Amino acid sequence: MSDTTGLFHRETYAAQMAEQLLNPGPLDESTRSGVFLSGIRRVGKTTFLRQDLIPALETRGALVIYVDLWVDRTKNPSALVHEAVRNTLRQLQTPGSGLLQRFKGLNLGAAGFSFGFQLDDVGQPGGATLAQAFEELVNTAHINVVLIVDEVQQTLGTEEGFALLHALKAARDAVNARPGMPGRLLFIGTGSHKSLLADMTSRRAQPFAGAHLVSYLVLDREFVQWQLQRIAATPGVVLPSLDTAWQGFQTMGHRPEELLKALRQLQQAHGTDPDTALRIICATLADAAADVELKAVEEFGELGKAVFERIATGPEDGATGLFGVDALAAYADRTSSVVETSQVQNIVDKMVSANLILRPTHGKYTVADPFVRKVWRDKLAQLAQLAQLAQPPKADLT
């Protein structure tokens, strides 16, 4: 479904998810423990959250706090979450604010209301905890509060991030486990790394163990049809068949931006069958996207590529032994020079800072983006096939 802004809305999907969160049936009660939504990058998760799910939740009377942990990677996740919470509470205190107007007719008065703690001190030593802040908010406003943390796996690997998850769990329990509370605190975490999100919801040591893990439903054939119909009104536009466009969309990983880019390039393919041209364009764009991702790794040099390869070819939930004797010997063989542990640690730290890899637990490392991991492994497989083809045929001694 579209609107005047040219957005493709997924109202049915959003309504279903909102109902499961706010009014869960017997089979959906695990959503009270939290919902973790997994899906690779650039397939429309954030757009869906902002344009469809948040409005669906707000229509049903919920107060939504949204935090994107990739919006500013110079800040640690804890700072971003606390900042978003303080900003929301500040709006609720401000007479005539847009947030108060949105809840007109509910228990949030136009004059706003005060809290029994200093907003600037929330999360600070001596200040109110997130549990205290959310408990007072729900108890005073009589509404459900939904906290959405986009790219939640960014909390892994640091003490601050782990402490944040524990603080959010404590807040969830303080609100949801207290009898007679007039609302709930619901948590949604999204991420591009399904394996890490699975660990966050299944490992007992993780604060949100027992939360509900679901896969994001990627855009389907209906979206492709909508996109073709949207541009069909342009005079002289060249269009492929729906079947070919849908196949190309899948080739490019269900990424809406790539589909639009492919359709724009198709307009330059004069004199060529549109379906044939689009197949070539989509395959080329998919390869180009892979090359961009690989270039970020290659900029770390031969040692960086060797370290990354060891992580990418290891278990999906994380590779270990990056600093062991065998690993150092392999790096030395790859770079034709002696490699010290400190050099590897320096490379690893820089890759973590560049968001190429994550450190889910001590001594374990995994590729941050599953798409990049797949691209790297596909490249290795292609090189292996080429090497095999280049080998001279064995002599026939018969």
Side-chain angles (χ1 to χ4, degrees):
M1 179 179 176
S2 63
D3 60 16
T4 56
T5 63
L7 292 174
F8 181 79
H9 286 289
R10 309 181 72 184
E11 294 176 345
T12 301
Y13 184 26
Q16 179 186 29
M17 189 175 295
E19 282 297 316
Q20 288 175 335
L21 283 164
L22 300 176
N23 302 297
L27 297 178
D28 300 319
E29 290 180 352
S30 61
T31 59
R32 296 296 195 198
S33 297
V35 174
F36 284 69
L37 184 66
S38 70
I40 62 174
R41 286 191 304 127
R42 298 171 57 212
V43 292
K45 291 196 309 298
T46 297
T47 299
F48 169 71
L49 293 175
R50 291 175 177 268
Q51 304 297 335
D52 294 307
L53 182 57
I54 291 177
L57 291 167
E58 290 176 342
T59 298
R60 289 161 175 78
L63 170 64
V64 182
I65 302 175
Y66 172 81
V67 189
D68 185 354
L69 297 188
W70 273 4
V71 70
D72 186 350
R73 299 187 198 178
T74 65
K75 293 183 178 180
N76 69 57
S78 181
L80 290 170
V81 170
H82 281 90
E83 183 178 300
V85 172
R86 286 193 292 265
N87 181 56
T88 298
L89 297 178
R90 192 170 290 111
Q91 291 184 61
L92 295 176
Q93 273 193 335
T94 305
S97 70
L99 186 57
L100 287 176
Q101 291 297 320
R102 183 188 304 162
F103 288 96
K104 187 176 181 180
L106 296 178
N107 293 302
L108 298 178
F113 57 87
S114 60
F115 297 99
F117 51 83
Q118 294 296 319
L119 298 190
D120 291 339
D121 294 336
V122 173
Q124 300 296 324
T129 64
L130 286 175
Q132 292 169 327
F134 279 118
E135 187 176 4
E136 184 167 336
L137 170 60
V138 172
N139 199 38
T140 304
H142 290 232
I143 55 175
N144 292 311
V145 178
V146 182
L147 174 64
I148 302 177
V149 179
D150 212 349
E151 298 300 344
V152 68
Q153 76 273 351
Q154 296 302 112
T155 59
L156 298 174
T158 64
E159 291 184 7
E160 294 88 348
F162 199 56
L164 171 65
L165 292 176
H166 273 288
L168 293 176
K169 175 187 179 296
R172 179 200 69 187
D173 294 344
V175 175
N176 297 347
R178 179 179 170 184
M181 285 293 283
R184 301 279 187 175
L185 172 60
L186 304 169
F187 178 81
I188 302 175
T190 78
S192 54
H193 204 297
K194 185 175 182 178
S195 178
L196 292 182
L197 264 63
D199 283 348
M200 295 177 76
T201 59
S202 62
R203 292 184 181 273
R204 290 185 178 181
Q206 290 290 335
F208 281 90
H212 190 50
L213 176 64
V214 294
S215 296
Y216 170 72
L217 297 181
V218 294
L219 291 162
D220 57 15
R221 187 184 177 95
E222 183 182 354
F223 167 76
V224 177
Q225 183 176 23
W226 169 81
Q227 190 66 277
L228 293 178
Q229 292 173 343
R230 191 170 73 95
I231 66 175
T234 305
V237 71
V238 177
L239 290 176
S241 67
L242 175 58
D243 286 342
T244 298
W246 169 234
Q247 292 170 5
F249 187 53
Q250 295 176 87
T251 297
M252 296 181 296
H254 295 261
R255 289 176 162 89
E257 292 178 358
E258 295 298 298
L259 175 62
L260 192 57
K261 187 185 299 183
L263 292 173
R264 283 199 299 264
Q265 291 189 16
L266 178 63
Q267 307 313 306
Q268 308 303 318
H270 303 293
T272 306
D273 174 65
D275 284 357
T276 301
L278 189 69
R279 291 189 190 98
I280 297 172
I281 291 169
C282 290
T284 302
L285 287 176
D287 289 341
D291 289 341
V292 169
E293 301 292 354
L294 296 180
K295 184 178 179 180
V297 179
E298 292 170 350
E299 289 177 352
F300 283 91
E302 201 63 34
L303 177 58
K305 289 190 288 185
V307 172
F308 186 85
E309 186 171 307
R310 195 174 189 88
I311 298 171
T313 56
E316 187 176 355
D317 64 344
T320 58
L322 267 60
F323 310 99
V325 174
D326 292 343
L328 293 176
Y331 303 148
D333 183 61
R334 174 79 169 262
T335 61
S336 301
S337 61
V338 176
V339 176
E340 303 290 342
T341 302
S342 59
Q343 293 174 270
V344 180
Q345 185 67 64
N346 184 49
I347 287 286
V348 167
D349 290 343
K350 288 182 178 179
M351 284 188 172
V352 170
S353 297
N355 205 44
L356 285 172
I357 62 175
L358 292 172
R359 185 188 295 113
T361 59
H362 180 71
K364 181 179 283 190
Y365 298 86
T366 186
V367 179
D369 188 341
F371 175 70
V372 178
R373 181 176 186 267
K374 180 182 182 302
V375 166
W376 190 270
R377 291 168 70 98
D378 289 347
K379 176 187 175 184
L380 291 178
Q382 292 172 0
L383 292 175
Q385 289 177 348
L386 291 174
Q388 188 174 14
L389 292 173
Q391 290 180 354
K394 293 182 179 179
D396 188 356
L397 300 179
T398 61

